Amino acid sequence: MVAILYLISALLFIFALRGLSHPESSRMGNIFGIIGMIIAVFTTLMFKSVLSYYEIGAAILIGGAIGSFIALRIEMTALPQLVAAFHSLVGLAAVFVAAAAFYDPVAFSIGKVGSIKTASLVEMSIGTFIGAITFSGSVLAFGKLQGTISGKPIVFKFQHLINALIFLLIIFLIIIFVINQSPTIFWTIVIISILLGFLVVIPIGGADMPVVVSMLNSYSGWAACGIGFTLSNNLLIITGALVGASGAILSYIMSKGMNRSIINVVLGGFGGEQDTSASKDNSDKIVKQGNAEDAAYIMKNADSVIIVPGYGMAVAQAQHALREMGDILKKEGIEVRYAIHPVAGRMPGHMNVLLAEANVPYEEVLELDEINHDFPMTEVSFVIGANDVTNPAAKTDESSPIFGMPILDVEKSQSVLFVKRSMATGYSGVDNELFYRDNTTMLFGDAKKMCEDIVKSLSA
Amino acid sequence: MEAHSSEVFVIGLTVFFLACIIGYYVVWSVTPALHSPLMGVTNAISSVIIVGAILAAGPQGFDTSKIFGLIGVVLASVNIFGGFLVTYRMLSMFKKKTKKTKDKE
């Protein structure tokens, strides 16, 4: 009976992910997920060994209240931090469950204290190891995304060698733990894994965060899997594998969006201060600067406009003002669409959520390969808070660090408007030659303020 | 749990690989626009680890294991409620052009 209920729960989780293939079916998918979780929890509460309903109920209420409070209050721009924080909790929960199983193996039928089955010990320590890494890595990622910790990659000598040695040390400790089942060794594994989690995320820069967040997503799944093996629980194994696969695929998509291998991202150090020489070369070139009225004039006289949002739009919270601008243009009979680069923002799909929040219909929001061939037929590209993802150097300059990265071909449209705070280079530290072209107009200022000013000029 | 332990492990491994394959195909079918909600949902369902935490917190009386279990239940619950709710919020924003909704929170 239990096994069947768990199976139903696992199937519902699969349907939950399946629902996300289309926005229309996605809400139902989320409900499937919730039902699956309720079944899983109640099935477990029906176990004969589970007796302390009050304590468990209280714990669920406390956690549920905290989680609901956070989820309802969070700004959509802060979504990446939130997800990172949630990942850290999954990791920590995995460590606690493993510890609980270690201290009371009888409750999980994996043996007795001091004589736990070897297989269970191995699985338990792997679950603990991954859980602890997920925990500390996510905490650090949270700090970097939130801005509490500098987003700059921190690189030091022998970094990878040290990480490799720590990893070997953990394997060694796991072997000892399996042999002597000492609590001291168990907690040493926890602490050293936490340390390793920090060290793994420290060299990774802010713009690589979409990959890191996806990777930690994946880890949290594998941690659940490890615990699933420890408890011989198929539901945990299935769910963990689903989550693990999901995170791994997202990491792959993200690194492909930057034309870099996952390994390259993980090794880190990208986006430091290298390549200052490239920006010097262009210091004497002339930039055409414009203001909101110029932008309004250019767009009003166009037939089609493609808006390219980037992380800068999220920082400035400009999505609502931007949508307002788009609405006015549409009323004028101008075709307005949005082009999203896979790595725009700080987590996969971040821009889509922000535009959806501002009530932009999802049909108008297109992915890179859906819209890229339309740029030559487009009169105006309105780039707001994005830079590297439009840089033609990715196609032409083999020496550029972003060479080979797929870009949005805004250069092919008749004119380009760039909303930027300053002439500063993008995250990669590479200068963008587009800024100096004749058909480019730079609009310097805060993205939100600029959109509002354009709206004023348009309606005047 | 009556089966031989190596047999249990092999069954687990079978389930694991099959689930990975299902995950692979299901996740590739997710539209890129919904990648953020995907993270929200996976985050919520990975907290199914609460099952293990409940088992640990189940027995009466108070010992180390039970305290760990209860902490695990709290942590996982934060995630379950938070994950599903934030996903719900995200998904309710993805609207069709034709509906012409103009609601403010």
Side-chain angles (χ1 to χ4, degrees):
Chain A
M1 188 58 191
V2 168
I4 295 203
L5 287 171
Y6 276 162
L7 175 66
I8 294 173
S9 167
L11 288 175
L12 284 167
F13 288 159
I14 295 172
F15 290 137
L17 299 190
R18 182 75 189 115
L20 291 169
S21 58
H22 195 273
E24 290 305 293
S25 57
S26 61
R27 279 171 282 258
M28 201 58 221
N30 199 35
I31 292 169
F32 281 144
I34 295 171
I35 298 172
M37 189 58 79
I38 293 171
I39 294 178
V41 168
F42 277 93
T43 307
T44 315
L45 286 174
M46 284 183 334
F47 274 58
K48 267 188 236 121
S49 63
V50 177
L51 297 163
S52 46
Y53 299 111
Y54 292 113
E55 290 99 317
I56 294 173
I60 292 179
L61 280 181
I62 295 170
I66 299 172
S68 310
F69 181 78
I70 299 171
L72 292 174
R73 292 288 299 272
I74 194 86
E75 290 273 351
M76 282 299 147
T77 34
L79 216 51
Q81 293 92 298
L82 177 78
V83 169
F86 279 168
H87 288 157
S88 76
L89 298 183
V90 181
L92 198 57
V95 173
F96 275 109
V97 174
F102 176 57
Y103 280 90
D104 186 8
V106 182
F108 297 89
S109 347
I110 52 170
K112 288 187 189 120
V113 179
S115 59
I116 302 172
K117 288 177 200 158
T118 309
S120 303
L121 284 170
V122 175
E123 292 152 358
M124 186 190 293
S125 29
I126 292 174
T128 309
F129 163 65
I130 304 175
I133 286 195
T134 311
F135 167 66
S136 54
S138 301
V139 168
L140 191 60
F142 170 82
K144 286 193 176 200
L145 288 163
Q146 180 79 13
T148 3
I149 305 166
S150 158
K152 269 189 201 150
I154 296 165
V155 197
F156 51 87
K157 258 191 178 175
F158 305 123
Q159 202 159 19
H160 307 311
L161 184 69
I162 291 171
N163 288 353
L165 287 176
I166 292 178
F167 181 68
L168 288 178
L169 175 67
I170 290 172
I171 293 179
F172 177 68
L173 285 171
I174 290 179
I175 294 171
I176 295 184
F177 172 68
V178 170
I179 296 168
N180 72 3
Q181 311 198 9
S182 141
T184 322
I185 304 283
F186 178 82
W187 293 110
T188 314
I189 295 174
V190 172
I191 289 166
I192 297 185
S193 303
I194 287 178
L195 177 72
L196 186 61
F198 281 127
L199 288 175
V200 164
V201 176
I202 259 188
I204 304 178
D208 285 342
M209 277 303 152
V211 188
V212 176
V213 173
S214 318
M215 237 168 50
L216 292 166
N217 184 226
S218 184
Y219 288 176
S220 68
W222 305 132
C225 249
I227 301 299
F229 275 106
T230 319
L231 312 184
S232 303
N233 183 321
N234 285 343
L235 173 61
L236 278 180
I237 297 178
I238 295 174
T239 315
L242 288 178
V243 177
S246 164
I249 290 174
L250 288 178
S251 319
Y252 170 77
I253 296 174
M254 293 300 113
S255 14
K256 219 178 107 214
M258 295 188 288
N259 189 42
R260 296 168 56 206
S261 69
I262 292 183
I263 296 177
N264 181 289
V265 174
V266 172
L267 293 181
F270 190 75
E273 265 106 280
Q274 79 269 52
D275 252 285
T276 37
S277 56
S279 47
K280 273 178 200 149
D281 294 340
N282 283 316
S283 56
D284 52 339
K285 284 195 195 166
I286 299 155
V287 168
K288 195 164 80 187
Q289 212 176 318
N291 56 26
E293 280 124 70
D294 302 329
Y297 179 80
I298 294 172
M299 284 194 280
K300 224 173 185 171
N301 289 302
D303 286 327
S304 52
V305 174
I306 295 181
I307 297 170
V308 179
Y311 185 59
M313 179 198 81
V315 174
Q317 300 263 27
Q319 63 270 32
H320 297 277
L322 182 67
R323 195 260 309 151
E324 218 176 309
M325 185 190 95
D327 280 353
I328 297 179
L329 291 173
K330 275 195 276 179
K331 258 184 223 146
E332 302 268 334
I334 300 159
E335 186 192 23
V336 178
R337 286 177 300 169
Y338 298 79
I340 311 286
H341 191 274
V343 293
R346 285 291 182 268
M347 76 183 277
H350 193 193
M351 288 298 128
N352 304 76
V353 171
L354 293 180
L355 292 175
E357 185 198 12
N359 281 326
V360 174
Y362 60 79
E363 295 97 327
E364 290 171 15
V365 183
L366 299 161
E367 303 300 318
L368 181 131
D369 43 346
E370 291 171 326
I371 199 165
N372 226 4
H373 46 83
D374 287 357
F375 278 106
M377 285 91 81
T378 301
E379 272 154 273
V380 182
S381 293
F382 186 81
V383 185
I384 175 163
N387 180 0
D388 290 336
V389 298
T390 65
N391 194 341
K395 283 185 176 168
T396 51
D397 181 5
E398 276 184 55
S399 64
S400 171
I402 59 168
F403 181 73
M405 178 172 108
I407 57 159
L408 288 159
D409 292 328
V410 297
E411 55 165 336
K412 289 185 182 156
S413 58
Q414 285 169 30
S415 60
V416 184
L417 298 170
F418 260 103
V419 181
K420 254 178 126 321
R421 286 237 281 242
S422 67
M423 275 306 282
T425 56
Y427 200 83
S428 64
V430 188
D431 196 32
N432 193 338
E433 56 170 287
L434 264 186
F435 299 163
Y436 312 100
R437 295 215 178 151
D438 288 339
N439 58 351
T440 301
T441 309
M442 302 299 292
L443 307 164
F444 291 117
D446 175 72
K448 186 176 175 188
K449 178 98 184 9
M450 183 58 71
C451 288
E452 286 166 353
D453 289 349
I454 295 174
V455 167
K456 265 182 227 155
S457 308
L458 281 172
S459 25
Chain B
M1 310 287 152
E2 62 277 9
H4 193 262
S5 73
S6 70
E7 211 171 300
V8 172
F9 177 74
V10 172
I11 293 171
L13 214 56
T14 313
V15 170
F16 172 75
F17 282 115
L18 291 179
C20 283
I21 292 167
I22 292 175
Y24 178 85
Y25 285 104
V26 170
V27 172
W28 273 114
S29 77
V30 172
T31 167
L34 295 180
H35 276 163
S36 287
L38 172 67
M39 300 201 90
V41 169
T42 51
N43 189 52
I45 65 171
S46 62
S47 307
V48 74
I49 204 158
I50 195 172
V51 165
I54 291 176
L55 286 180
Q60 269 165 338
F62 265 94
D63 58 5
T64 328
S65 166
K66 178 162 185 176
I67 293 168
F68 287 156
L70 285 175
I71 298 175
V73 173
V74 174
L75 294 173
S77 304
V78 172
N79 244 317
I80 293 171
F81 283 76
F84 281 125
L85 262 176
V86 87
T87 311
Y88 170 80
R89 269 186 69 195
M90 281 190 253
L91 292 176
S92 56
M93 294 184 305
F94 281 87
K95 279 168 195 141
K96 257 191 148 159
K97 207 189 290 182
T98 42
K99 272 187 192 161
K100 278 266 167 193
T101 35
K102 275 231 168 176
D103 50 336
K104 285 224 164 174
E105 302 177 327

